[in-house]
Amino acid sequence: MSSLPLSDLPGPLPATAAPAPAHSPLPPLSPAHRTRFSPARLTRHALTLLPLLLIGAWAAADWHTVHDGATRLASADPWWLLSGLFFTCMGWVVAAVVRQGAIPERLPPGRLLASQFAAGAANQVLPASIGAHAVTLRFLQSQGIPLARGTASLALYSLVKPIAKTAVLLGFLVAFPELLHLGELVPNRRTLLLVALGVTAVLATAGILAATVRPLRRPLVCFVRTALTDARILHTRPSRVLALWGGAAATPLLQASVIASVGFALGLPLSWTQVTLALLLASTAVGAVPAPGGIGPVDAALVFMMVTFGAPMGLAAATVIGYRVLTVWVPLLPGALVLSIMVQRKML
């Protein structure tokens, strides 16, 4: 059989269509969609909702306390309660002033105040002020403060507050010696010896770890050097010294003013001086116990101290419950919302 030449073929064969795939491939995600579903963005959204979820869980677990406090406050003098709310708001302002006093750079006042309002909500969830310090540290980093200097600022803040509170307590004891009929509360030599041994053991452990564990040595030395440098610079500026030490000394006085206002609203038969001294003694005695916002140990000690000063047990307990409702539960939801907004807007 002879084959036909290519020129004699009738024309190009029609192209057959390729078989269609069973499933059309999805179009690639645009950069905007990839950003929307990035792990960092999802994590930020989760952190936005986390404070609200924690508040809901805490409210369900401690609903009896909230209900009792709200019931007692409903029958209290509203003008004294407004006074307590005013002192509560002033507490956030003073906290922002102390934070500013602990760092050389000038921070934006509005955002700093908002961060302390949000830190108050975080402080009620985690013990030993970890929540408040974490929020503040993130805020300082968002303002361009390096991690070492931000941590040094928190350390200085944490060191100044108990020193200033102890100075205020000693001032009250010197000014009002007739109020202190609490000989059984003065620690004996054995208790003081145990406290001294505990402090020595902690310092010795930290020194041994710093000397033997090399990965800890360099950051610890850097932290100490930064903290000492910043503390020296801050104490050459009168405005920073006044903000740091004056604000730290005013903090317990404002807290006592809130308690006294709630007590006066309920008819507590104690003076402002007695309430302040009761708070200073109670917080000094058990303030080191790690609890969210100091709730629990400080409350029990405060009730005991007010009863020792002559207040009825039921009225003292109602005052502390009302104080917690006014300073914790009333601002907790707004504080959590501010915290969520600041996380969403990358201020934290």
Side-chain angles (χ1 to χ4, degrees):
M1 177 185 293
S2 60
S3 59
L4 295 175
L6 293 178
S7 58
D8 294 338
L9 290 177
L13 295 176
T16 58
H23 299 284
S24 299
L26 294 175
L29 292 176
S30 63
H33 283 81
R34 285 197 297 268
T35 303
R36 182 180 302 176
F37 296 103
S38 64
R41 190 176 182 86
L42 293 177
T43 302
R44 190 162 58 250
H45 282 297
L47 291 176
T48 301
L49 298 176
L50 181 60
L52 302 179
L53 295 177
L54 291 175
I55 289 172
W58 191 22
D62 204 20
W63 177 250
H64 181 71
T65 301
V66 180
H67 181 267
D68 287 350
T71 302
R72 292 181 180 274
L73 290 178
S75 59
D77 187 345
W79 293 108
W80 277 116
L81 293 182
L82 285 176
S83 176
L85 185 60
F86 168 76
F87 288 121
T88 301
C89 297
M90 288 302 298
W92 300 319
V93 176
V94 171
V97 170
V98 179
R99 297 288 187 184
Q100 176 62 85
I103 197 157
E105 288 82 1
R106 180 172 177 80
L107 303 172
R111 293 189 177 187
L112 177 59
L113 181 59
S115 71
Q116 295 312 292
F117 188 53
N123 195 41
Q124 309 307 327
V125 179
L126 298 175
S129 300
I130 296 176
H133 288 334
V135 171
T136 302
L137 184 60
R138 291 293 299 172
F139 172 74
L140 293 178
Q141 288 183 292
S142 70
Q143 299 302 311
I145 307 298
L147 179 60
R149 301 192 61 237
T151 307
S153 170
L154 297 182
L156 180 61
Y157 173 88
S158 302
L159 179 64
V160 166
K161 283 191 67 176
I163 295 176
K165 184 174 67 174
T166 303
V168 173
L169 174 59
L170 293 177
F172 266 76
L173 295 180
V174 172
F176 307 100
E178 70 280 359
L179 294 179
L180 194 63
H181 303 290
L182 307 171
E184 67 276 9
L185 294 180
V186 178
N188 53 25
R189 292 183 178 179
R190 182 179 179 182
T191 303
L192 294 176
L193 180 60
L194 291 176
V195 172
L197 289 176
V199 173
T200 304
V202 170
L203 294 177
T205 303
I208 292 173
L209 289 176
T212 57
V213 182
R214 288 189 176 182
L216 293 179
R217 191 180 310 166
R218 179 175 295 179
L220 183 60
V221 170
C222 178
F223 165 76
V224 172
R225 185 183 297 113
T226 302
L228 292 177
T229 301
D230 284 359
R232 179 181 56 80
I233 294 175
L234 288 170
H235 284 81
T236 61
R237 302 180 183 181
S239 61
R240 292 292 192 270
V241 173
L242 180 61
L244 181 62
W245 290 96
T251 298
L253 301 180
L254 287 172
Q255 293 174 347
S257 298
V258 177
I259 299 172
S261 297
V262 175
F264 297 157
L266 297 173
L268 185 72
L270 296 180
S271 65
W272 178 85
T273 304
Q274 290 174 314
V275 172
T276 304
L277 188 55
L279 174 64
L280 291 171
L281 291 171
S283 59
T284 301
V286 297
V289 178
I295 297 176
V298 175
D299 292 347
L302 181 57
V303 171
F304 174 73
M305 294 302 306
M306 288 194 292
V307 170
T308 306
F309 278 118
M313 173 66 75
L315 197 53
T319 298
V320 174
I321 291 175
Y323 162 70
R324 287 302 182 184
V325 170
L326 199 62
T327 58
V328 174
W329 287 106
V330 170
L332 190 56
L333 182 57
L337 291 176
V338 171
L339 176 60
S340 300
I341 291 172
M342 295 187 74
V343 172
Q344 184 69 25
R345 296 186 177 180
K346 301 181 181 180
M347 298 180 187
L348 296 177

